Each structure stands twice: as C-alpha cells, then as structure tokens.
Amino acid sequence: MSPTQKNYLISLGQKARAASRKLAAANTSIKNRALHLMAKSVRAGQDRILSANALDIAAARDKGLGQALVKRLELDQVKIEAMARGLEEVAALPDPVGEVVTGWRRPNGLEINQIRVPFGVIAVIYESRPNVSSDAAALALKAGNAVILRGGSETLTTNRTLVDLLSGTLAAAGLPAEALQLVADPDRHLVEGLLGMRDYVDLVIPRGGAGLIRMVVEKARVPVIETGVGNCHVYVDERADLNKAKRIVINAKVSNPAACNAAETLLVHEAVAARLLPDLLAELRQMGVEIRGCDKTRSLFGGQLADGVQAVTEEDWSTEYLDLILAVKVVGGLEEAVEHIRRYGTRHSEAIVTDDYGRARRFTEAIDAAVVYVNASTRFTDGHEFGFGAEVGISTQKLHVRGP
Amino acid sequence: MSPTQKNYLISLGQKARAASRKLAAANTSIKNRALHLMAKSVRAGQDRILSANALDIAAARDKGLGQALVKRLELDQVKIEAMARGLEEVAALPDPVGEVVTGWRRPNGLEINQIRVPFGVIAVIYESRPNVSSDAAALALKAGNAVILRGGSETLTTNRTLVDLLSGTLAAAGLPAEALQLVADPDRHLVEGLLGMRDYVDLVIPRGGAGLIRMVVEKARVPVIETGVGNCHVYVDERADLNKAKRIVINAKVSNPAACNAAETLLVHEAVAARLLPDLLAELRQMGVEIRGCDKTRSLFGGQLADGVQAVTEEDWSTEYLDLILAVKVVGGLEEAVEHIRRYGTRHSEAIVTDDYGRARRFTEAIDAAVVYVNASTRFTDGHEFGFGAEVGISTQKLHVRGP
C-alpha cells in the first residue's frame, strides 16, 4: 500500500468514525426517513445505475469473464426495484438500538440494564453482486452504524454510482454523508489495510465465497462475523416419513442450488435406502441434478440407468457445489451420519428427517451448526424465513450472532 | 515451532475436540459432580501445590523477577482454599447449556428455538496468576466446553500440578480427562500455534496485560474475546452531589488499584473543581495515591502543598496505571469529558456523577464502553457484582459477550 493509499484509508476511517457518532445518536424516524429517501433516489437514478452497470459489464466481457460471473454483476430494472424495496423493508423493521435486552437490580441497589448499542463502524467486503451495496448499507445504517463498503473491482463503476445516489440523500435526512462510504480504489492491498484498521473499524463482514472469507479471517485484526460457506447435509433416518423426506431433499437441493443453505450431501439410513433412493434420485435427475453416489447408492440406483451413477470421491464430501449436484451416501445409522457431518460439515445448516423423538433430540444435540433442523429443509436458514426481515449473511461463527 | 511441537499441539487439539463432544452432551449433575470432585482434589493436594509453587518461586527469584511479579505467582493456603471454593461456586451456578433464549413460530408452521450451546474447545492464555487455571477451567467446563490452558512459563510447575489434580478427577465423574489440558511446553511459539488452530480451537480468551492481549489479537486466526485493558474514567459533573462524587472516586481508585476496572483518570467540571478537588485530592494522597494534575488542578490544589502536584503528561491520559496513581483534569463541561473519554478510553468502564437527568442520558448514549455508570463506581464491573457468580474477564470487544 502506498502512503497515499494509506492516507486515503485513514481518512475514510476517520470520517466514518465521526459519522458513526451521529448515527448512534440518531432516532428511528430520522434513520427511516433516510432509508425512504435512498429508495427514492435509487428509483430515480435507475438510468444512471444501468449506464454505469453497462460499463462494468462491457469491461468484464473484454476481460473474458465467464458468463455466470457476468450474470452476477448485471443489474436490470427488476433488480433495481428490488433494491429500492429492500431499503423500504429495512425502514419498516424495528430499530434495535436502545432495546433493553434485560435488566435487574442487585441486592446493594445497583440497577443494571443491558442495552443494545450500535457497533460503530462496519466494513462490508463483498464480491460481484452490486445489490449487496444497498442491502448492507440499509441494515448497518438502521442499526446506527456507519458503513465502509468494499465491493468487487469488476463492479466498481456500478457501486460508485449506487453509493453516490444512496449517500447523497443522507444530508437531507439530517445525517452525515460520510455514514456511507465506498473504498473506490480497486487495489487489493486496500482490503488488507481495511482489515487492520482497529482504530476505525469495529467489525468486518465478508460476504462471498470461501476464498474471500478465508482471506478475511486470515488477515483481519478487527473482529469478523464469518458468513456463509455452507456444506449442508440432509440425513434421512430409518424412522423417516419417506414422502416428507423426498419433499425436503428436493427443496433443499433444487429450490436454489446457488444458495449457501442448499444441501450438498444426502445421507440415508441403510434400512430405508432401497425404498427411498431409486424414486428420489430419478426425480432429482429429471430436475437436472447430477448424482454422485457411494457404492451402495450406485448399486441400488445406478443399475436402473444406462449411464449409471458417477462414483463419489473424498473431495465431493467436502465440496460446496453451489450447483445442481448432490453427493449421496448410505450410512449404517444416525451415529455414522453425525460423524460424517462433524467431519465434513461447515457448521451452517444441517437437517434430520425422522419421526423418532429420541433420534431427533440426539441429532440436534450432537450436531454443532448455526441451524439444526428436524423435518425441515436447510433452505429455511434465511433472514426473511426466520422473520428477521433482511440479512447480510448467515453467520457460521460462534460468537454472537450465529445464524441469519 | 518444531515438527514435534506441532504434532504435540495437534494432538492436544484432537483430544480436546473429542472430549468437547462428550462435555457438550454431559448433563448438569455430572458436570457439577466433577466440579465438586475438583474442589476436593485441590484441597487434598494442597501440599503438592505448595511444593510445586515453591519451585516456581525459587526459579523466579533466581531469574531476578521483581517482587511484585513474584507476589503474583505465589500461592498460599488461603488462595488454594479460594480456588476450591471458586470451583464449588461455579457448580452452584445455573447451567447455561440448553437454555432456550427465545423461540417463535413462523406463519408457515416452522418452529424456531434459539438455544444456548457450548463453544466446543476454549483456549485460555494467561500470565502469572495460577488461580486462573482453576477459575477458567471451572467456567469453561460448566458451560460444556473442553479447555486448553496456557499459563505463564514462570508458573508452569504450579499449573502442571493444578491441572493434574483437576483433570485427574474427571474420569471419576464420567467425563474425559482430556477435557482439561495444559500446554506444558513453555516455548512462546506454541502460543502462536494455538492461536492458529482453527480446526481444534473455537475460541481463545487472553487474560492478562495489554501486551498479551495485543499479541493475541494480532496473531489469532480463531475468534477472540478480548478482555481487560481498562483505562477507566470518572467524570464529576457540575450538577453532582459532591459527597457522592468523593466516595465514588475514592472507591474507583483505591479499593483495588491493580484491577482493570479501577479508575485511572478523574475528569471534573470546572464549576465544581474548586469545591471538590482540594479535599478529595488531599484525602486520596493520605491514602497513598499519587496525583498527576492538569494546570488547573495544580493551581487549585498544588498550592496547598510544599511539594506541589506533578504535572500530567499526554502519556498519562492513555496509561492504565494499575497502581495508586490518578490523573486529574478539569474540563469545561460534559462534552469535553466525552471527547476525552472517546480519545483515551479503552471502552471498558466509564462513570458520570451527576444529578442532572439529561446529562446522565447524554453520557450513557455518547460513551461507547462495555459498562457505562451513572452515580456508581467503575469497580462494579465484575462477574460477582453483576450477579453472574464468576467471570473469566471483562470483555471490551463488541461481538457478544461484552462486559463481565
């Protein structure tokens, strides 16, 4: 990092710190007014956003980025409207600041209240999806924090326009414009710089793939909320309702395979494998899911197919496919399933399908994950599904907060 | 770190991970039984502990360690009995594991429960006081965690004996002995190794001085609960009850100056400085407190003394004395006090003395610290005072948990 870059970061940090103090003292109606103005500004600025986005897309194509990646950074009218509505939804959420979580009086008369307060300055480091800019800004501001955003270099023009439009409304609501800033230098070294600014950054949230999260955890000197890597399992027990099991597995795998809470591996009790797998796997294949099976799975199911079932490898067990691929293993029982999940799981979302009360209890106690499900799909791990309204990500770390 | 040392650490980690699973599933009565057996074992092993401690003390004196440091690592019958009683007190505390913090049902029928679970494996890194070994072990085990302890090298013999006595009782209670382990190699590199073991350590808690905490934050790849550095302030407002103010300042400075929650700087509103300071500072001096004052303090008070009052320096404002020294500053008002605390405070414990409701509110909102007091001493920041029973330290970081 050059001295100029260092000074740039420190200046961002100092402005964010000063702004955070005003944000922390801002009452709910001021913050909500800002969020509504932001929504308006995003809608009114649609053309500017789309032009900026077109430049990013053209540059990405020139660089030869893959179609899937280009797709991710592409905005359209629907996505821009979704951003605006997201801002309004966050305005409608309750304000966490000042909530008295609990309070008590000690025998000596000391009165103690535990009160929710803002973090101060939150840095969000993300990859190509530009809608994270408005989502993260909205949630952080609502909770009384200043935000420093650092998106992917391939969406810098889009993010710059977005942050311009969003932060440009803050003054009108009576809040400092510096409450929302973007690191506008694409040099990777600035991310490392940001991760070390213990005086100016109170929390960093990485949002993206496993590589980004690993890098942040490795380099950060500020506290991190780890989000996202989800190698999630569904275990179908001997005592499962097999119709329920089918619906849960299909939902967990197919409803949004690119999501971190999608199932990647299906574990099936050997006593029900012969009854469950042939139908279920045939149905999944019809939906475009590639099956990678253990030997038992292949002997149970593969024989029916001209092309058979691909053999699963050790690497598959620890892979978050984020795609229409499912690894399948027949296990001897609950304990083998628990051992498998302990070994390969990422402590995100894990599910058991069973009608046996004792086994459900054993699974929920033995499995260490942000969310453990009984007879429900891993796909429910989501801020909206939990009733929280919105989310920055799914925390898989163990210090508060854990989950959506 | 040599390959042998690396293997040693990994082996500690693997054993701790395996033990943590049994601990997590252990019910309250088993854990309490273990704690009571530990207390018995500490009492019965008093002679062994004292002999081991005598060896550490002799070695420390040979190395020329200062008297204060030697004092810290010294155990006696009273301290050993306090350890045993501490273990029994933790047994008497409620078990946090399994507590349903909150729960709700979604419109689609999904039932969500937020349940307290153990961390898994906790590493505690501490300095010379050997009683941390039993305190930290007791709290971690009660909360269903395996523990890896790493004390100061100057108390290795004492800690080895203590951990032997403590972990030796676990099997009799039906728990794995590996739930409590000590890093018995004094090489500093092993601390760094421990801080990087993301597969085997879920949380690290440094307990000690600013240097230790800085080192841990700098090197850790596992989540950290930062504890302890307390540059705490008492601000006496214009509208304060001056008798109350005196008692609070004296308590905050004198009752245990070596504690992290002791006040280091007194800020006084200029309107009451002339009435408060001469008496208060004279009284503090009689109690052995050295005063380091700003110019106004010196002109108000110093004139009465043959030797005057030492001038405070910029360095004093950011020093945690942990000693009978008090920096004193006369300020123009509440906002100057807030600015001073924001600049020099360590977000530990901060107090205002005032009878003005609005100023009390402004102070509690503007000051970002683990605990903010109105008309009470900073010394109340303590697990026992809060009614929690026991504590590993005072967390000054902002991810959960914050405070004792």
Side-chain angles (χ1 to χ4, degrees):
Chain A
M1 214 169 24
S2 73
T4 315
Q5 289 176 317
K6 202 170 172 181
N7 287 337
Y8 168 63
L9 272 191
I10 289 175
S11 139
L12 283 184
Q14 286 172 335
K15 285 187 230 160
R17 173 65 71 214
S20 76
R21 286 175 174 149
K22 287 177 188 154
L23 254 292
N27 66 32
T28 312
S29 59
I30 287 179
K31 292 185 286 189
N32 288 348
R33 180 144 179 258
L35 290 166
H36 282 290
L37 288 174
M38 285 176 161
K40 241 187 219 172
S41 173
V42 164
R43 285 195 183 102
Q46 183 183 287
D47 293 347
R48 264 183 73 193
I49 299 169
L50 289 175
S51 320
N53 192 236
L55 293 175
D56 279 335
I57 291 169
R61 290 215 171 104
D62 282 354
K63 266 199 238 157
L65 257 68
Q67 190 50 35
L69 209 57
V70 172
K71 198 84 208 152
R72 260 196 235 172
L73 55 93
E74 191 173 340
L75 289 178
D76 55 25
Q77 293 189 6
V78 175
K79 285 184 184 169
I80 292 174
E81 174 56 27
M83 275 192 224
R85 211 166 295 154
L87 288 156
E88 290 165 346
E89 280 172 18
V90 173
L93 291 176
D95 187 341
V97 177
E99 184 197 334
V100 179
V101 178
T102 177
W104 63 97
R105 188 186 295 214
R106 296 290 299 151
N108 61 5
L110 188 71
E111 286 171 22
I112 299 175
N113 283 321
Q114 187 183 27
I115 296 173
R116 255 188 233 287
V117 296
F119 276 107
V121 178
I122 300 180
V124 184
I125 298 175
Y126 50 108
E127 295 180 322
S128 43
R129 294 181 205 277
N131 62 308
V132 176
S133 306
S134 69
D135 288 359
L139 285 166
L141 293 175
K142 177 74 182 231
N145 302 285
V147 206
I148 300 177
L149 297 175
R150 165 68 195 217
S153 56
E154 64 282 6
T155 42
L156 184 55
T157 311
T158 310
N159 285 334
R160 225 186 233 142
T161 306
L162 276 172
V163 169
D164 255 20
L165 288 166
L166 295 168
S167 66
T169 66
L170 288 166
L175 293 173
E178 294 80 12
L180 173 57
Q181 299 178 100
L182 179 75
V183 180
D185 179 336
D187 187 340
R188 284 216 128 206
H189 291 99
L190 275 82
V191 176
E192 285 183 37
L194 198 59
L195 294 174
M197 292 217 293
R198 287 179 54 84
D199 286 345
Y200 302 117
V201 176
D202 296 298
L203 175 70
V204 60
I205 305 178
R207 185 169 160 169
L212 173 73
I213 294 167
R214 210 177 307 120
M215 186 275 287
V216 168
V217 166
E218 187 65 29
K219 307 273 185 198
R221 300 291 170 274
V222 299
V224 178
I225 292 185
E226 273 177 64
T227 63
V229 176
N231 183 19
C232 306
H233 302 74
V234 176
Y235 165 61
V236 179
D237 184 51
E238 180 183 17
R239 300 268 330 264
D241 171 334
L242 295 186
N243 282 323
K244 209 186 270 171
K246 262 193 214 170
R247 283 156 54 209
I248 288 170
V249 172
I250 289 171
N251 178 280
K253 181 68 254 177
V254 179
S255 59
N256 183 1
C260 59
N261 57 16
E264 310 293 9
T265 296
L266 167 65
L267 303 167
V268 182
H269 193 293
E270 58 184 2
V272 292
R275 271 185 294 145
L276 177 72
L277 286 183
D279 274 12
L280 173 58
L281 298 188
E283 203 167 326
L284 284 166
R285 274 176 80 127
Q286 273 175 9
M287 295 169 136
V289 178
E290 179 190 329
I291 308 295
R292 301 190 184 169
C294 67
D295 289 348
K296 279 191 192 163
T297 302
R298 294 174 79 204
S299 71
L300 279 171
F301 177 64
Q304 305 171 5
L305 297 162
D307 55 347
V309 163
Q310 197 184 317
V312 73
T313 65
E314 176 68 20
E315 206 193 326
D316 281 300
W317 300 136
S318 35
T319 301
E320 187 189 19
Y321 299 119
L322 297 172
D323 204 347
L324 284 173
I325 306 172
L326 183 68
V328 183
K329 185 181 192 180
V330 176
V331 294
L334 174 60
E335 293 307 319
E336 191 183 335
V338 165
E339 274 317 307
H340 183 97
I341 294 170
R342 281 179 173 173
R343 183 151 171 207
Y344 299 106
T346 53
R347 299 169 169 185
H348 190 296
S349 301
E350 306 293 352
I352 184 173
V353 186
T354 189
D355 284 340
D356 185 285
Y357 185 75
R359 290 189 191 175
R361 273 186 61 100
R362 168 66 188 150
F363 188 83
T364 55
E365 279 181 16
I367 295 298
D368 176 26
V371 191
V372 185
Y373 291 95
V374 177
N375 295 333
S377 165
T378 53
R379 293 274 298 119
F380 282 107
T381 305
D382 171 276
H384 285 281
E385 293 293 348
F386 270 50
F388 299 158
E391 62 166 61
V392 189
I394 309 297
S395 165
T396 52
Q397 52 105 54
K398 293 185 177 185
L399 285 177
H400 190 73
V401 57
R402 202 179 187 199
Chain B
M1 214 168 28
S2 73
T4 315
Q5 289 176 317
K6 203 171 171 182
N7 287 337
Y8 169 63
L9 272 190
I10 289 175
S11 140
L12 282 185
Q14 286 172 334
K15 286 187 229 160
R17 172 65 71 215
S20 76
R21 286 175 175 150
K22 288 178 186 153
L23 255 291
N27 67 33
T28 311
S29 59
I30 286 179
K31 292 185 285 187
N32 289 348
R33 180 145 180 256
L35 291 166
H36 281 291
L37 289 174
M38 284 175 161
K40 241 187 220 172
S41 173
V42 165
R43 285 196 183 103
Q46 181 183 291
D47 293 346
R48 265 183 72 193
I49 299 169
L50 290 175
S51 318
N53 193 237
L55 293 174
D56 280 335
I57 291 169
R61 290 215 170 105
D62 282 354
K63 266 200 241 158
L65 258 68
Q67 189 51 36
L69 209 55
V70 172
K71 197 86 206 148
R72 260 195 235 173
L73 56 92
E74 192 173 341
L75 289 178
D76 55 26
Q77 293 189 4
V78 175
K79 284 183 184 170
I80 291 174
E81 174 56 26
M83 275 192 224
R85 212 167 292 154
L87 288 156
E88 290 164 347
E89 280 171 17
V90 172
L93 290 175
D95 187 342
V97 178
E99 186 196 333
V100 179
V101 179
T102 177
W104 64 98
R105 188 186 296 215
R106 296 289 299 152
N108 61 4
L110 189 72
E111 284 171 23
I112 299 175
N113 282 321
Q114 188 182 28
I115 297 174
R116 254 187 233 291
V117 296
F119 276 106
V121 178
I122 300 180
V124 184
I125 298 175
Y126 50 108
E127 294 180 324
S128 43
R129 294 181 206 275
N131 63 308
V132 176
S133 306
S134 70
D135 289 358
L139 285 165
L141 293 176
K142 177 74 183 231
N145 302 285
V147 207
I148 299 177
L149 297 175
R150 165 68 194 217
S153 56
E154 66 281 7
T155 43
L156 184 55
T157 311
T158 310
N159 286 333
R160 226 187 232 142
T161 307
L162 276 171
V163 170
D164 255 19
L165 288 166
L166 294 169
S167 66
T169 67
L170 287 167
L175 293 173
E178 294 79 14
L180 173 57
Q181 297 177 102
L182 179 76
V183 179
D185 178 337
D187 186 340
R188 284 217 127 206
H189 290 99
L190 275 82
V191 176
E192 285 183 37
L194 199 58
L195 295 173
M197 292 217 292
R198 287 179 54 83
D199 285 345
Y200 303 116
V201 176
D202 296 297
L203 174 71
V204 60
I205 306 177
R207 185 168 159 169
L212 174 73
I213 293 168
R214 209 177 308 120
M215 187 275 287
V216 168
V217 167
E218 187 65 28
K219 307 272 185 197
R221 299 292 169 275
V222 299
V224 178
I225 292 184
E226 274 178 62
T227 63
V229 176
N231 184 19
C232 306
H233 302 75
V234 176
Y235 165 61
V236 178
D237 184 51
E238 181 183 16
R239 302 269 328 266
D241 172 334
L242 296 186
N243 282 323
K244 211 185 272 173
K246 261 192 214 171
R247 282 156 53 210
I248 288 170
V249 172
I250 290 170
N251 178 279
K253 182 68 254 179
V254 179
S255 58
N256 183 1
C260 58
N261 57 17
E264 309 293 7
T265 296
L266 167 65
L267 303 167
V268 182
H269 193 292
E270 58 185 2
V272 293
R275 271 184 294 144
L276 177 72
L277 287 182
D279 274 11
L280 172 58
L281 298 188
E283 203 166 326
L284 284 166
R285 274 177 80 128
Q286 274 174 9
M287 294 169 137
V289 178
E290 179 190 328
I291 308 294
R292 300 190 185 168
C294 69
D295 289 349
K296 279 192 192 160
T297 303
R298 295 174 79 203
S299 72
L300 280 171
F301 177 64
Q304 306 172 6
L305 297 161
D307 54 349
V309 163
Q310 196 185 318
V312 74
T313 65
E314 176 68 20
E315 207 194 324
D316 282 300
W317 300 136
S318 36
T319 301
E320 186 188 20
Y321 299 120
L322 296 172
D323 204 346
L324 284 174
I325 306 173
L326 182 69
V328 183
K329 185 180 192 181
V330 176
V331 293
L334 174 60
E335 293 307 320
E336 191 183 336
V338 165
E339 274 317 308
H340 184 97
I341 294 170
R342 282 179 172 173
R343 185 152 170 206
Y344 300 105
T346 53
R347 300 170 168 184
H348 190 295
S349 301
E350 307 292 352
I352 184 173
V353 186
T354 190
D355 284 340
D356 185 285
Y357 186 75
R359 291 189 190 175
R361 274 186 61 100
R362 167 67 188 149
F363 188 83
T364 54
E365 279 182 15
I367 295 298
D368 177 25
V371 191
V372 185
Y373 290 95
V374 177
N375 295 332
S377 164
T378 53
R379 293 275 298 119
F380 282 106
T381 305
D382 172 276
H384 284 280
E385 292 293 349
F386 270 51
F388 299 158
E391 62 167 60
V392 189
I394 309 297
S395 165
T396 52
Q397 52 105 54
K398 293 183 177 186
L399 286 178
H400 192 71
V401 57
R402 201 177 187 200

